[in-house]
Each structure stands twice: as C-alpha cells, then as structure tokens.
Amino acid sequence: MNKKMIAIAMTMVVASVPVGVFAEETADVTAQQLFTDAAAYAIEVPGMTGSLQFGGEGSLKISGEGSPEASFGASVSGAFDLKKAADPLKMEMSGNFKTGVLGQNINMDMEMYVVQDGDMIDSYFKGSSNGEETPWEHDRQNFDGIWEEMSVSGPEEFKEKMKELLEEAKIEIDWDITEDNDACEMTGQLSYAELLPMIEEMEDDNSMTEEEREILEDIMGCLKMNINCTFDKETHALLKAHVDFDGSDMDSFGEMISELFAQEMAESGVNSAGQTQFTVELKSCEMDLEFNYDSVPEITVPEEALQTAAFDDAD
C-alpha cells in the first residue's frame, strides 16, 4: 500500500492547518482561536465520528471539420464515514466513490483501517471497482516512517512547517463570524491565486517556468472557494463545514483548460493539425464535512485483514 496514503490518513487525524491565523478579526472570538482550538480538540478528544460528502459535474465537447459535435458529461461524487478512537490510535474510513467520464461509469467501494501498535502503525486497505473486489493490503511501519514521507520529524514540526508556508504566502481571508447560544458560524472566501506563492515554495526543484507560472496563475485566479464552518461555542470543536466554488469564473476557467488540453493533444501528435476542437466545462464542485464527539466509536478490523501479511518495501 502506498505510504503517502497512510500519511494523508494520519494527517486527517493528528494535524490541521490553522488558516485563520492570518485572517482579520471580525468578532470577539477570532478565526485564529477557532481553528487552533478545533485542531487541538480533534487531537485530544477520546473519540470522534464524521462524514464527508463531495460532488462535481462538468462536460467535454469535441468538434471537428466535417463531423458533428459530440458532448460527454463528466461527474464525480463520494460519501465517506470516518471513525477515530485515541490511546491507542484507531481509525476507520469507509465509503463509496463514483465517476462518470465519456459514457463510462466507475463505482468504487473503499475500506481502510489504521491501528497503532506501540511505536508501529498498521494500515489495512481493501477496495472494489464495479463489484470486482481486490484483496486486503497490509502495510506496517514505524511512526517515524510516516513523518519521513512528509519530510518532518513529527506532528508539531509538520504544523510549524505549514504555518511558515502560509505566513510566507501572506494568505488573508476576511472572515464573517456570528454567534448564538450554542455555536459560532464563520464564512469567508479564498481566491486560489493567493495559494500560488505557497505552491512555489513547496516545489523542491523550482522547476516551474515563467510561462507555466503565468498560466497557472491565470487558471487559479478564476477559482474562488467559499468556506462555511460551524464550531461548538464552548469547546470550539469543528461541527461541520461546507465548501463550494460558487462565484468562480467558470467560463474563463473552462476556456483556459480547453486550450491547455488542445495544446497537449497537439504536442502528443494526436491532434497535430488542430482540426479537432476541445471544450472543457466545469459546472459545479462542492464538499460537506460533519463531525460528532459524543462517544468513542467501536472500531473492529476484519479478521481477514488481520491475517494478511504486511507489505515489505524490499519486495
């Protein structure tokens, strides 16, 4: 199993990035307090359950000289449940992922467990595609190996590294924070163009050319991410979050992606004469998260998974 997959799962549980540190204060409670307290609460709480749902729709149109235009819809959707118990760490993530592209539909079910055993982490993964199952995969490694995947020594260094990147990028969001008797609600909008300096900083080889940077900046400038988060008023635990791209310039985004797609096809020799035109359209994209901290969930790894031999990187 890919170690980066384990690293991502672990990051979901033990670390989060307090983006609000760099936002303007608009209420008695600040975005910095909410994000920082929510991250600390998620790490320290004995148990947590959650759900993730996401979806997006788009289309690809193909036209050419002497041939009728063909249009193909594209969609992606997913729904996942998450359980986490602490001391020792156990995590379960299961759900379904669906894609539809060029008339082909793929329906994937996934099941993953992460279990702490002293200084070691065991992860188990199983999936199925359109009803065809894959066998369980088992990966076992030291905690240090997980953090090495992210080039840090542990969770504190990881959070510090991300904080430094965000500070250098000078990302600022004007949050609107409202409060009632039970919760704090926070809304804001982030332009993806603001993330470009951070992406460049994360490039180890600085391989991006000036032309590529300008193209990426134009594309990212079209996208605006709307964020709405609800926190428990007393503990500041994150209860739910909604993200969408409403208000983005989808027409310009589609035009630029279409140009890049056509250029790539021409350079590969598939459409060297430029006789075929490609039009990419992104219609919608959104994500919803919900969390509950009322109890410690029961997490049981299937016996079939436990009996699977651990993957050896040397093999």
Side-chain angles (χ1 to χ4, degrees):
M1 181 178 175
N2 193 324
K3 289 184 179 179
K4 288 187 177 180
M5 191 168 184
I6 304 171
I8 292 171
M10 290 297 298
T11 301
M12 290 172 59
V13 176
V14 302
S16 65
V17 182
V19 179
V21 168
F22 315 102
E24 291 188 4
E25 300 178 6
T26 58
D28 292 336
V29 60
T30 67
Q32 174 181 356
Q33 290 174 299
L34 291 173
F35 275 112
T36 304
D37 293 349
Y41 190 86
I43 294 172
E44 297 168 2
V45 70
M48 176 180 70
T49 59
S51 64
L52 163 66
Q53 294 185 326
F54 58 88
E57 292 185 0
S59 65
L60 171 64
K61 296 180 181 179
I62 304 176
S63 60
E65 297 180 5
S67 60
E69 180 180 274
S71 180
F72 304 92
S75 63
V76 59
S77 64
F80 290 86
D81 292 321
L82 172 68
K83 298 178 182 179
K84 174 231 172 179
D87 196 25
L89 174 67
K90 277 190 174 182
M91 189 182 78
E92 176 184 346
M93 184 167 60
S94 60
N96 177 268
F97 180 77
K98 297 178 181 179
T99 60
V101 181
L102 300 179
Q104 299 295 316
N105 295 314
I106 300 175
N107 188 352
M108 294 181 287
D109 293 311
M110 290 173 273
E111 191 173 358
M112 180 178 180
Y113 297 86
V114 176
V115 181
Q116 180 182 357
D117 180 15
D119 292 333
M120 304 298 292
I121 285 290
D122 289 283
S123 64
Y124 307 88
F125 177 84
K126 182 179 182 180
S128 67
S129 178
N130 292 339
E132 184 175 341
E133 291 190 355
T134 61
W136 281 101
E137 296 180 22
H138 176 194
D139 186 280
R140 181 175 174 84
Q141 62 176 312
N142 192 284
F143 254 124
D144 293 340
I146 296 173
W147 297 116
E148 286 175 4
E149 290 287 334
M150 295 180 282
S151 302
V152 295
S153 60
E156 292 304 318
E157 185 180 345
F158 172 79
K159 286 190 284 186
E160 284 301 316
K161 183 177 181 180
M162 294 304 297
K163 181 178 178 180
E164 290 173 4
L165 288 172
L166 287 167
E167 284 176 335
E168 292 171 3
K170 295 181 174 61
I171 298 173
E172 293 187 0
I173 302 175
D174 292 330
W175 294 108
D176 180 19
I177 303 176
T178 58
E179 303 176 50
D180 59 24
N181 293 333
D182 301 315
C184 299
E185 185 173 1
M186 187 170 67
T187 58
Q189 187 180 77
L190 170 67
S191 171
Y192 263 51
E194 293 187 61
L195 300 177
L196 187 58
M198 186 173 68
I199 294 174
E200 292 178 318
E201 185 70 26
M202 295 175 68
E203 277 199 313
D204 294 331
D205 56 0
N206 295 316
S207 58
M208 192 182 302
T209 67
E210 183 62 30
E211 181 181 2
E212 289 171 337
R213 187 191 188 284
E214 290 177 359
I215 293 173
L216 183 59
E217 185 174 13
D218 289 340
I219 292 174
M220 295 179 70
C222 297
L223 299 178
K224 299 185 184 300
M225 182 169 64
N226 304 303
I227 308 168
N228 178 277
C229 299
T230 302
F231 301 84
D232 181 90
K233 188 172 183 178
E234 181 178 351
T235 65
H236 292 173
L238 178 62
L239 303 178
K240 60 182 179 179
H242 173 81
V243 175
D244 63 48
F245 293 85
D246 293 349
S248 297
D249 187 351
M250 292 301 190
D251 290 339
S252 297
F253 176 80
E255 289 174 3
M256 285 184 279
I257 294 296
S258 300
E259 291 176 5
L260 286 177
F261 188 67
Q263 181 179 340
E264 181 67 23
M265 295 287 284
E267 291 177 352
S268 65
V270 176
N271 186 37
S272 57
Q275 296 176 335
T276 305
Q277 303 298 317
F278 302 92
T279 304
V280 178
E281 182 181 21
L282 178 62
K283 297 179 180 178
S284 64
C285 184
E286 61 181 2
M287 178 182 71
D288 286 283
L289 283 162
E290 288 193 16
F291 296 101
N292 185 286
Y293 310 91
D294 292 341
S295 62
V296 179
E298 184 72 26
I299 299 175
T300 304
V301 182
E303 186 64 27
E304 183 183 356
L306 294 173
Q307 297 302 318
T308 304
F311 174 77
D312 189 343
D313 287 341
D315 291 345

